[in-house]
Amino acid sequence: MKYVPFMICVIVFLFTSAGYFITDKKTEKIYGALSIVSIACAIVQAAIVF
């Protein structure tokens, strides 16, 4: 159960990174920002869990 927040952050990072490369310029900025936030979330969660 303690791995759930970490897994959610990683899944969100995967989807936002894929969306960054698929979308056009206007939406690309949103996906880029969400990708950075989600990888930061994953790093923090990994530090807590591991």
Side-chain angles (χ1 to χ4, degrees):
M1 198 63 183
K2 66 181 182 178
Y3 297 107
V4 173
F6 175 70
M7 292 186 313
I8 290 172
C9 290
V10 170
I11 291 169
V12 169
F13 173 72
L14 292 175
F15 279 114
T16 55
S17 296
Y20 178 79
F21 292 107
I22 293 171
T23 57
D24 58 348
K25 292 282 185 188
K26 186 181 275 187
T27 315
E28 190 175 272
K29 293 178 184 178
I30 297 169
Y31 276 111
L34 288 175
S35 180
I36 291 170
V37 169
S38 62
I39 195 63
C41 170
I43 291 170
V44 169
Q45 290 299 323
I48 292 171
V49 171
F50 302 112

